[in-house]
Amino acid sequence: MRRTPKSQEASGKLLSIWGDLQICHKRFSDGRKVPDFIAEYAKLPLIPPYLQPNNHQFTSGVNFASAGAGALTDTNQRKCAEYPTRRIEIRKEDIKVAATEILSNPEIHGLKDVVGAGNLKQRIVKQKIQVAAKIRVSIRSGTVLIIPTSSSLPKNHVALFILGDSLFDSGNNNYIDTIARANFWPYGETFFKYPTGRFSDGRLIPDFIAEYANLPLIQPYLQPGNHQFTYGVNFASAGAGALAETAQGFVIDLKTQLSYFKNVTKMLRQKLGDAEAKTLFSKAVYLINIGANDILSPFTTNSSVFQSLSKEEYVGMVIGNITDTIKEIYKKGGRKFGLSNLGALGCIPGMKVLVPGITGSCFEEATELAKLHNAALSKALQELAIKLEGFKYAKHDIYTSSSERTNNPEKYGFKEAEIACCGSGPYRGIDSCGGIRVVTEYELCADPSEYWFFDSGHLTEKAYKQLAELMWSGTPNITGPYNLKALFEA
């Protein structure tokens, strides 16, 4: 059954926003702004900015506001940098004395008020910390604005770096030339209320892990303007494999993702300095999910790989690239890794539809190859733990946790665990969700939260949340030898 988005179903409410920095989406506030609350009261999602990449779902409204804008075209027509602002450069050794004096006695210096950027004001006044960066003091309209030119990280700061495939891709494929995209409706319909590039109706596992770790949503590496990497960054690419040959030319393979990570390490060393960057890398958690596309590729393409390699040799190549990536991250300072093995890949709707006769059976060859992969991954991680000093890992047994739920869906709050919410054909296993790929006709369920699978190969937000909870705080029989919570606290 085809259906319209909930935003259209719910009495046709629409919110359009015009204005200046009081309501713009680069929020000049410590939190939400007036339109955010208005949207909440009207039972609407957060209204996205008009210029946000891939924001094409306007049925709930859109935000056109721009910081500094006026009703007159002449207002703020020049760039901010051209304003007549007087800047005072304070030497590093003068920060404590000069900044504290200005903050403590603003009126003596002819100032009306003092406002601080972030926690800097509190740090200087209450803690009198020694900052290893210059401070710019901009004086305009009787107000001092203190802006740090480089930031010191909080004491217990733990970043999250993400590598992988469509289970983790938060939007990188939006910015490459590929058909492996999910930047169209109904992807993203339940949580974000617009497509973000995530292959689900809402959030993915890394989004929940970031939430549990008190981090913001980790942004895609290729997202324009994303240069704030101190919280981490997401390199994952839908369709990617550990092998460069998997979907070659249409994805960001694991080796390329690693090269992006190395670029980020250089930028962070320049921004933070070698010592602080080293601390960030060693405390960070590296979340990796890769291999499913490598395992499925021999069965979904005209591959002749098993004519020249045994299945064990093929799996060995996949695992070898994964362990090589871990070793390279380790060389850059990484010590804490979160991984998952592969589920019963032959039982996803997109593989069951390939079984002749549509008997309900799984594509057993794919599942058996996934089992070989899982055994080899466990062995490889155990060997790394012996060889690499300080190496810690959390491996989630997604094969067991997902099979438990697909075999007992009602026990875990699902009504359907064989048929996808979105797609066409038997089990909705034909990859037509959204209707812009090869097959344009598709069906869409009324409530994704009742389904385990959202499309032919990916899960619903509800399913991902349950897996994320197990990865975060699961016991050693399902996530071990550490869980992610323990790694973030280590």
Side-chain angles (χ1 to χ4, degrees):
M1 182 190 311
R2 298 290 294 274
R3 63 179 170 85
T4 55
K6 292 181 180 178
S7 56
Q8 292 178 345
E9 293 173 350
S11 70
K13 290 181 287 189
L14 179 72
L15 179 60
S16 296
I17 304 165
W18 286 262
D20 55 17
L21 62 80
Q22 296 299 322
I23 57 177
C24 78
H25 257 257
K26 273 292 185 182
R27 294 169 170 82
F28 283 76
S29 175
D30 64 319
R32 290 174 290 177
K33 312 202 77 171
V34 171
D36 302 322
F37 292 106
I38 298 302
E40 178 184 333
Y41 303 154
K43 300 187 184 303
L44 290 170
L46 286 178
I47 305 302
Y50 176 71
L51 295 181
Q52 178 171 293
N54 303 302
N55 177 25
H56 307 303
Q57 296 298 316
F58 303 135
T59 52
S60 296
V62 64
N63 190 329
F64 305 101
S66 171
L72 303 178
T73 57
D74 294 335
T75 302
N76 284 348
Q77 195 171 24
R78 294 174 297 173
K79 295 180 181 178
C80 292
E82 295 173 344
Y83 279 114
T85 300
R86 181 161 61 93
R87 300 190 181 280
I88 302 173
E89 291 290 342
I90 303 179
R91 294 179 304 158
K92 180 170 63 177
E93 57 268 31
D94 294 333
I95 288 176
K96 182 177 178 181
V97 176
T100 303
E101 170 61 19
I102 294 173
L103 287 165
S104 302
N105 304 288
E107 294 182 1
I108 295 177
H109 297 275
L111 305 171
K112 298 177 182 177
D113 195 11
V114 179
V115 291
N119 295 323
L120 189 58
K121 177 179 175 181
Q122 182 180 4
R123 290 179 189 173
I124 295 174
V125 176
K126 293 185 177 181
Q127 302 172 16
K128 298 183 183 299
I129 66 169
Q130 296 179 351
V131 187
K134 291 183 180 179
I135 292 181
R136 293 182 305 180
V137 182
S138 299
I139 300 180
R140 188 176 69 192
S141 303
T143 298
V144 162
L145 176 63
I146 297 182
I147 311 168
T149 55
S150 66
S151 57
S152 293
L153 298 175
K155 182 179 180 180
N156 296 318
H157 179 79
V158 180
L160 177 61
F161 294 97
I162 302 158
L163 300 91
D165 53 26
S166 56
L167 267 67
F168 284 5
D169 183 0
S170 58
N172 280 306
N173 277 21
N174 293 346
Y175 308 105
I176 65 174
D177 185 11
T178 181
I179 59 172
R181 288 181 179 175
N183 58 344
F184 48 87
W185 189 83
Y187 292 103
E189 63 168 342
T190 56
F191 179 79
F192 299 99
K193 307 299 182 184
Y194 61 92
T196 63
R198 292 168 171 84
F199 279 77
S200 183
D201 60 300
R203 289 165 290 182
L204 306 179
I205 289 173
D207 300 319
F208 291 108
I209 299 304
E211 177 185 332
Y212 304 154
N214 295 316
L215 292 169
L217 288 177
I218 306 301
Q219 299 302 311
Y221 175 72
L222 294 181
Q223 179 174 291
N226 180 25
H227 305 300
Q228 299 298 317
F229 301 131
T230 52
Y231 290 110
V233 64
N234 189 329
F235 305 101
S237 170
L243 303 177
E245 294 80 7
T246 299
Q248 193 167 23
F250 296 97
V251 299
I252 309 165
D253 63 73
L254 184 59
K255 185 176 181 180
T256 303
Q257 293 182 36
L258 177 63
S259 71
Y260 290 164
F261 168 72
K262 291 179 179 179
N263 291 341
V264 168
T265 63
K266 293 177 183 177
M267 286 186 276
L268 285 173
R269 283 199 301 270
Q270 292 173 353
K271 179 179 181 179
L272 302 172
D274 288 341
E276 196 159 15
K278 181 179 179 181
T279 299
L280 184 148
F281 300 141
S282 66
K283 287 186 176 182
V285 171
Y286 301 85
L287 198 59
I288 302 173
N289 183 85
I290 201 83
N293 294 306
D294 302 298
I295 298 303
L296 292 177
S297 179
F299 308 110
T300 57
T301 64
N302 295 323
S303 173
S304 59
V305 64
F306 292 141
Q307 294 179 13
S308 56
L309 293 172
S310 69
K311 292 180 179 179
E312 288 78 9
E313 288 172 332
Y314 182 74
V315 166
M317 291 170 55
V318 174
I319 297 299
N321 283 6
I322 294 173
T323 54
D324 285 347
T325 298
I326 292 173
K327 290 176 183 177
E328 287 298 309
I329 295 174
Y330 181 89
K331 289 178 183 178
K332 296 296 181 181
R335 293 296 182 269
K336 301 183 290 184
F337 295 81
L339 303 97
S340 64
N341 61 15
L342 302 180
L345 296 182
C347 297
I348 64 176
M351 292 303 291
K352 289 177 69 174
V353 76
L354 300 179
V355 178
I358 312 302
T359 62
S361 300
C362 297
F363 196 114
E364 292 300 339
E365 281 187 279
T367 297
E368 289 305 311
L369 197 60
K371 289 180 179 179
L372 282 178
H373 171 98
N374 292 348
L377 179 64
S378 293
K379 182 179 179 181
L381 290 173
Q382 291 168 5
E383 291 175 353
L384 288 175
I386 295 171
K387 294 177 182 178
L388 304 180
E389 184 180 355
F391 174 81
K392 295 182 175 69
Y393 70 94
K395 180 180 71 66
H396 176 61
D397 183 5
I398 200 171
Y399 187 96
T400 298
S401 59
S402 60
S403 296
E404 166 69 15
R405 283 156 177 77
T406 53
N407 292 333
N408 306 281
E410 293 186 358
K411 179 180 177 181
Y412 296 95
F414 299 96
K415 292 184 178 180
E416 180 55 68
E418 292 191 20
I419 301 172
C421 169
C422 185
S424 58
Y427 321 108
R428 294 186 184 136
I430 296 176
D431 187 20
S432 61
C433 185
I436 72 166
R437 301 188 181 103
V438 177
V439 179
T440 57
E441 291 299 319
Y442 69 99
E443 298 174 321
L444 184 62
C445 70
D447 184 359
S449 69
E450 296 179 348
Y451 287 70
W452 178 256
F453 293 103
F454 182 68
D455 67 9
S456 62
H458 306 95
L459 309 186
T460 58
E461 178 186 84
K462 181 177 177 179
Y464 282 133
K465 183 177 183 181
Q466 291 191 10
L467 296 177
E469 288 171 347
L470 292 173
M471 293 178 73
W472 178 254
S473 57
T475 52
N477 64 311
I478 199 70
T479 302
Y482 296 87
N483 57 33
L484 289 178
K485 183 174 186 290
L487 289 186
F488 271 91
E489 294 174 349

